[in-house]
Structure formats: structure tokens, C-alpha cells
């Protein structure tokens, strides 16, 4: 995607920079990204590790343009896809102008959080601590957690937020804006994400699969937008393939009489239409590809580097 330089219509000097959102799986990074941007640019699910690719959301605060990188949750990798996701998250943090560590206040100083903090200690970018889901825990627990984390990393500031309802997010956004460096904006004023619509559409469908099937379908599934054809009437014909690892999973996605895949398609189509700002005709296909997680092409579709081992 080509990147244009665009400045806001104001005499105020502009600033711009990259902020990495890091944290353990299910800390709420995608929800926070969407709140900061003011629109849905990353999928949200109650299932952990749903973010796979680096998704960049673009937020504006005064004359500052904040390019937010929603990194996959950092966890102990076991499979090739896991290793690619963790490498992507660490690389995203290493390249950022500022880092936000998002911690689920309910889980506290869990082992995976301690591991992430240890990795962040090696990075020189300013680090901000954001305790999420504060509406679900007692205040004294928040103070104790803040004190415990402060001994493990050099956070320049701590924010207590609820990414879901937006509490405290405006203050965090203002702080991030103050950390951006003098620079022209890297993206047009009305652009909300650098993710191609084809990728966002695939991610929306993958989210609807998670919402519909919950724990019935393992993580060995992915969605790809195979074709996007704009029609003469202004609508788009989109064909997507859902790849699963086994034939039994294919039957789960399709459902009895095709009811499950029909419901997934209807829910996905509505959100894709909103994102694309045009009427959409969505066609879903399910294919079994046992070793899709070992196929370099699948990683390129997700904008991840393919781990050699």
C-alpha cells in the first residue's frame, strides 16, 4: 500500500509516530485499539490469541497522528503459527516510538505478564502501563498491582482504563499524542487503518466464526478473501475461503443444512458493508487444508513472516 503524506488543515505544527500495544492474550488490545481510533479496525473475541497479524489503526488527537500497532498477544509459542505471532509482536514493540503494556487487572501479575515486562525492559522506547478492566476489580487491588509492576519496568506513567466502555481512554490518547515526534502525517486524515480491505474483510469473517462457534472450532482455521469484484451497480461481489485442518471441522463450520455458515455469512456481510461503505454480496466456501499452518502463502496473507523452523 502506498503511503501518502498529508497534513491537517491547521497552522499548528504536526506530529506523528508509532505506538505498539502489547500484552498477554485477551488483555483487550484490539478493543483498546478500536476505542482509540474511534472505529472498528481490529477483530475482537472472547477467545484469546485472535489477533494474528500486525494491525495498524490510525488515531488523531489535535495535530498529532498516532499510528497504533495492535500486536498479537505474547505467549509461550508451541506451533509455527504461534512463533510467527510472537515474533511479530516483539518486532512491533521494538520498532515503536512508544509502547503501551496493557494488563488485564483481573488476572494481575500473571507469569505471562512478567515475561512480557522482562522483554520490554530491553527496549528503549517510552513505556506506558495501562491497567484494563478496572471496573471489575477493587481499587485496592489496582494500587497493589500498579506498585508491583512499577518495580519491574520503567513506566513513564500509569493509566487505569476500561477499553470496553472507554473510561480513561481519552487521557491515555492525549498522553500518546504528546509523545509523538514533530513530523508530517503519514496517512490521509480520513484513513483509519493501513490494513487492505481484503484483509479486514477476512478478519471480520474470522471474528464471526469465533462468535458463532466459541469452543467448537479450534484455532486451526483461517479465512482468506479470494476475490473482490466491484460491480456496475456499485456493489461488491466477495468470495472468501475458510480453511480448516480436518473434515470434521468443515462440517462444524457448515452446520446442519448449511445454517451455521449462512449465519456467519450474514453477520460478516453486514460489518464488511459498513467497513467498505458499499453493498456486499458475500460468498463463503469451506476447504480442508490439513497443513495450512505450514504454508508460507498463508502467512503472507496475514502479513506475518514465515518461521523457518
Amino acid at each position: 500500500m502506498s503511503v501518502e503524506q498529508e497534513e491537517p488543515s491547521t497552522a499548528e505544527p504536526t506530529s506523528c509516530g508509532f505506538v505498539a500495544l502489547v500484552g498477554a492474550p485477551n488483555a483487550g488490545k484490539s478493543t483498546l485499539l478500536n476505542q482509540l481510533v474511534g472505529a472498528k479496525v481490529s477483530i475482537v473475541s472472547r477467545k484469546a490469541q485472535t489477533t494474528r497479524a500486525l494491525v495498524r489503526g490510525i488515531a488523531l488527537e489535535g495535530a498529532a497522528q498516532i499510528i497504533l500497532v495492535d500486536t498479537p498477544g505474547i505467549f509461550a509459542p508451541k506451533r509455527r503459527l504461534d512463533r510467527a505471532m510472537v515474533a511479530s509482536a516483539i518486532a512491533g514493540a521494538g520498532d515503536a516510538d512508544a509502547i503501551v503494556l496493557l494488563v488485564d487487572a483481573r488476572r494481575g501479575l500473571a507469569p505471562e505478564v512478567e515475561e512480557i515486562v522482562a522483554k520490554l525492559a530491553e527496549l528503549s522506547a517510552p513505556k506506558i502501563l495501562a491497567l484494563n478492566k478496572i471496573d471489575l476489580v477493587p481499587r485496592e487491588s489496582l494500587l497493589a498491582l500498579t506498585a508491583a509492576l512499577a518495580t519491574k519496568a520503567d513506566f513513564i506513567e500509569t493509566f487505569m482504563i476500561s477499553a470496553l466502555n472507554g473510561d480513561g481512554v481519552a487521557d491515555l490518547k492525549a498522553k500518546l499524542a504528546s509523545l509523538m515526534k514533530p513530523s508530517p502525517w503519514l496517512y490521509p486524515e480520513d484513513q483509519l487503518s493501513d490494513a487492505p480491505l481484503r484483509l479486514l474483510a477476512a478478519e471480520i469473517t474470522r471474528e464471526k466464526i469465533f462468535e458463532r462457534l466459541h469452543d467448537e472450532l479450534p484455532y486451526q482455521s483461517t479465512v482468506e478473501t479470494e476475490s473482490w469484484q466491484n460491480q456496475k451497480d456499485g456493489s461488491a461481489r466477495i468470495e472468501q475461503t475458510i480453511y480448516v485442518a480436518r473434515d470434521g471441522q468443515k462440517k462444524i463450520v457448515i452446520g446442519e443444512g448449511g445454517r451455521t455458515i449462512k449465519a456467519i455469512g450474514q453477520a460478516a456481510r453486514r460489518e464488511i458493508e459498513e467497513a467498505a461503505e458499499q453493498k456486499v454480496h458475500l460468498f463463503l466456501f469451506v476447504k480442508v487444508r490439513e497443513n495450512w499452518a505450514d504454508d508460507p502463502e498463508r502467512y503472507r496473507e496475514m502479513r506475518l513472516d514465515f518461521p523457518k523452523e
Side-chain angles (χ1 to χ4, degrees):
M1 173 176 286
S2 61
V3 176
E4 302 176 18
Q5 288 193 346
E6 179 122 350
E7 296 186 19
S9 54
T10 174
E12 188 178 353
T14 59
S15 60
C16 185
F18 291 82
V19 175
L21 305 179
V22 300
N26 246 3
K29 298 180 298 300
S30 297
T31 304
L32 176 58
L33 174 70
N34 293 338
Q35 278 281 5
L36 289 166
V37 172
K40 183 169 184 174
V41 295
S42 186
I43 71 169
V44 178
S45 169
R46 286 174 292 176
K47 296 190 75 165
Q49 303 166 24
T50 48
T51 298
R52 287 176 177 168
L54 281 179
V55 178
R56 290 189 181 129
I58 302 160
L60 302 180
E61 179 73 8
Q65 186 175 71
I66 310 164
I67 303 167
L68 299 144
V69 183
D70 178 18
T71 64
I74 299 176
F75 54 98
K78 297 177 181 177
R79 302 166 297 168
R80 189 191 296 269
L81 177 60
D82 296 342
R83 294 195 295 274
M85 290 163 60
V86 172
S88 176
I90 295 171
D95 294 338
D97 297 300
I99 300 168
V100 175
L101 171 63
L102 194 64
V103 175
D104 184 340
R106 297 175 305 173
R107 300 197 63 193
L109 194 56
E112 61 264 34
V113 175
E114 295 204 54
E115 291 179 18
I116 296 168
V117 173
K119 289 184 174 72
L120 294 184
E122 304 169 6
L123 305 177
S124 59
K127 291 175 275 290
I128 290 174
L129 173 62
L131 300 184
N132 191 25
K133 308 176 186 179
I134 60 167
D135 49 325
L136 303 177
V137 296
R139 179 173 174 80
E140 52 269 23
S141 299
L142 294 172
L143 297 175
L145 179 57
T146 301
L149 283 162
T151 65
K152 298 181 179 295
D154 184 21
F155 296 107
I156 62 171
E157 200 162 338
T158 297
F159 290 86
M160 298 187 182
I161 69 170
S162 170
L164 186 61
N165 62 34
D167 287 350
V169 174
D171 291 338
L172 172 59
K173 186 177 181 180
K175 179 62 179 180
L176 295 176
S178 73
L179 295 173
M180 299 298 94
K181 299 173 182 177
S183 166
W185 288 1
L186 296 179
Y187 293 93
E189 185 172 355
D190 59 352
Q191 188 166 337
L192 303 178
S193 173
D194 78 334
L197 267 176
R198 292 171 66 104
L199 175 61
L200 180 58
E203 288 289 272
I204 288 172
T205 301
R206 192 162 65 89
E207 178 186 61
K208 301 313 168 190
I209 293 170
F210 281 140
E211 287 179 355
R212 181 80 183 183
L213 297 174
H214 302 293
D215 296 326
E216 295 178 62
L217 188 69
Y219 286 103
Q220 291 93 334
S221 63
T222 190
V223 179
E224 291 182 17
T225 302
E226 305 288 357
S227 71
W228 185 307
Q229 297 176 335
N230 290 314
Q231 310 293 307
K232 290 182 179 179
D233 63 0
S235 66
R237 175 190 169 90
I238 302 172
E239 294 185 2
Q240 293 181 331
T241 299
I242 302 167
Y243 289 104
V244 294
R246 295 191 300 275
D247 194 60
Q249 296 170 3
K250 179 178 179 179
K251 294 176 182 177
I252 291 173
V253 174
I254 294 173
E256 186 177 350
R259 284 195 287 269
T260 301
I261 196 168
K262 182 179 179 181
I264 291 168
Q266 289 174 339
R269 177 182 53 78
R270 287 192 291 268
E271 282 204 19
I272 294 172
E273 284 183 335
E274 187 176 337
E277 298 182 335
Q278 66 184 134
K279 184 175 177 59
V280 163
H281 307 282
L282 179 63
F283 299 86
L284 299 180
F285 306 90
V286 187
K287 294 182 180 180
V288 177
R289 181 169 288 174
E290 293 184 4
N291 299 316
W292 74 262
D294 295 320
D295 182 356
E297 182 61 29
R298 308 281 79 77
Y299 287 74
R300 282 192 287 272
E301 287 286 339
M302 292 184 282
R303 304 198 297 181
L304 291 172
D305 291 329
F306 181 71
K308 300 301 182 185
E309 298 177 357

